[in-house]
């Protein structure tokens, strides 16, 4: 039972990380959209760098999620995985 609880705690930590990565991606995407209209090239560079960093964090979170989830938890992580993949896809539109 202890092993199960430890796994659940790790999975919860990973899910928190996934949700944070989604939030970070959404914020970075919004900043990139605003920066596109900016006349300041430094604003655009900063926004793009932040977006790239958020994409890397999201990719790491996805890897962690896939490694922690087992077949009995598939349903539990599918929604989070889909949200993360949607956020990554949406961020790459810029």
């Amino acid at each position: 039972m202890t092993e199960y609880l430890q796994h659940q705690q790790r999975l919860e930590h990973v899910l928190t990380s996934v949700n944070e990565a989604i939030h970070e991606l959404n914020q970075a995407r919004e900043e990139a959209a605003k920066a596109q209209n900016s006349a300041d090239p430094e604003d655009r560079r900063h926004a793009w760098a932040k977006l790239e960093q958020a994409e890397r964090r999201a990719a790491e979170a996805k890897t962690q999620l896939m490694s922690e989830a087992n077949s009995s938890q598939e349903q539990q992580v599918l929604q989070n995985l889909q949200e993360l993949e949607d956020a990554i896809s949406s961020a790459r539109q810029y």
Side-chain angles (χ1 to χ4, degrees):
M1 186 68 153
T2 302
E3 187 175 321
Y4 171 79
L5 292 176
Q6 289 173 342
H7 177 72
Q8 278 299 114
Q9 287 176 335
R10 286 193 311 270
L11 183 60
E12 287 175 22
H13 176 74
V14 169
L15 290 173
T16 298
S17 181
V18 165
N19 289 328
E20 289 171 354
I22 291 169
H23 180 71
E24 186 178 328
L25 265 173
N26 289 334
Q27 283 186 321
R29 187 183 70 240
E30 288 176 19
E31 286 183 31
K34 289 177 186 175
Q36 275 186 308
N37 299 324
S38 173
D40 185 357
E42 186 61 32
D43 283 347
R44 287 193 298 269
R45 278 194 293 275
H46 176 73
W48 285 109
K50 190 170 182 178
L51 185 58
E52 289 174 354
Q53 179 182 358
E55 286 181 349
R56 284 191 300 274
R57 180 164 184 230
E60 290 171 10
K62 181 179 176 181
T63 299
Q64 288 178 335
L65 181 61
M66 298 309 293
S67 69
E68 280 299 327
N70 61 35
S71 59
S72 67
Q73 296 161 322
E74 188 174 325
Q75 286 299 105
Q76 185 178 355
V77 301
L78 281 179
Q79 181 179 356
N80 294 87
L81 179 60
Q82 186 61 50
E83 288 175 16
L84 180 59
E85 288 176 343
D86 289 347
I88 292 169
S89 176
S90 180
R92 289 187 179 154
Q93 292 177 2
Y94 289 95

